[in-house]
Amino acid sequence: MELPKVAAPAIAIAGSSEMFPVRRIFCVGRNYAEHAREMGSDPEREPPFFFTKPGDAVTPGGLLPYPSMTRDLHHEVELVVALGKGGGDIDPADANALIFGHAVGIDLTRRDLQAEAKKGGRPWDMAKGFDQSAPMGPLKAGAPPADAAIALTIDGALRQSGRIADMIWSVPEIIAILSTYVRLAPGDLIFTGTPAGVGPILPGETVMGMIDGVEPVEIRYGA
């Protein structure tokens, strides 16, 4: 029997014809104080926690099919960092040297499925890790700035707005803490959390995620 040929997921690099190969996707939950509060948590007491998406959840955006099995699809705009090097038990002072580039991404969530999972004490996988649940703009080479504006619009109306400096845990701290749980590797992506204002996306709407200094990502859902 012939073995299947499986294409490796990859994302665009700004100004290059080459593609960045994606290995794994890690996401940080509730890393902006106001978002933590809107989700019912106390940001002053909660250490960072992580969940994952499959590598092939990445998509450059564009016209997408509306996800199945949900009536409450939510947007969460985020700074994404892509690792060009890996390691374990990384010191925060060394973390930026591991970063290949950064981009804007949207962590899409089937919120109704997540609520059911939380209520039943079950995993979030089907709420977070579904097909095309991680739209991203092209990577810009280098580590992200310590501060930049981050925002998301739906049909041109502002829904989320904040600043990277508002993160509870900085990018170097996130990398260092995550590296105590797993040994990080080249090709890993880290979605670093979302500011307040998360909410639903309806069929027919156009969503744009933006961070100053990088190319935006746009997704459109057919009516």
Side-chain angles (χ1 to χ4, degrees):
M1 182 179 293
E2 185 179 355
L3 291 174
K5 293 180 174 60
V6 180
I11 52 177
I13 302 169
S16 173
S17 60
E18 295 186 305
M19 300 288 286
F20 181 86
V22 176
R23 185 170 184 265
R24 299 176 292 185
I25 302 175
F26 298 98
C27 305
V28 184
R30 301 172 190 164
N31 196 31
Y32 288 74
E34 289 305 313
H35 173 59
R37 293 187 184 100
E38 76 178 351
M39 298 301 288
S41 297
D42 182 349
E44 303 304 322
R45 296 184 180 180
E46 190 172 88
F49 70 92
F50 302 93
F51 58 92
T52 62
K53 292 174 181 273
D56 62 2
V58 295
T59 173
L63 181 63
L64 301 178
Y66 198 82
S68 63
M69 301 301 294
T70 185
R71 295 184 178 180
D72 196 20
L73 178 68
H74 277 211
H75 57 78
E76 301 183 15
V77 66
E78 311 202 10
L79 168 69
V80 185
V81 293
L83 301 187
K85 299 178 182 178
D89 295 317
I90 296 162
D91 189 292
D94 300 325
N96 276 352
L98 306 183
I99 297 173
F100 173 87
H102 61 284
V104 61
I106 303 174
D107 169 15
L108 294 172
T109 304
R110 295 194 279 206
R111 192 71 75 197
D112 42 1
L113 298 192
Q114 186 186 41
E116 291 174 10
K118 287 181 177 179
K119 185 176 180 180
R122 299 171 181 169
W124 292 4
D125 298 60
M126 294 300 100
K128 287 287 192 177
F130 54 96
D131 297 339
Q132 301 173 316
S133 62
M136 282 183 58
L139 285 172
K140 180 178 180 179
D147 189 25
I150 180 171
L152 180 140
T153 62
I154 295 184
D155 291 343
L158 185 64
R159 297 293 179 86
Q160 289 185 265
S161 179
R163 300 199 67 85
I164 300 303
D166 294 336
M167 292 196 299
I168 298 169
W169 300 92
S170 69
V171 169
E173 289 171 329
I174 290 168
I175 292 172
I177 294 168
L178 180 57
S179 75
T180 66
Y181 288 94
V182 296
R183 187 172 182 82
L184 297 173
D188 287 343
L189 302 180
I190 305 174
F191 279 62
T192 60
T194 191
V198 302
I201 305 169
L202 301 177
E205 292 185 326
T206 297
V207 183
M208 181 173 287
M210 299 163 284
I211 294 177
D212 284 352
V214 300
E215 294 184 32
V217 59
E218 181 180 281
I219 54 177
R220 305 185 305 280
Y221 288 107

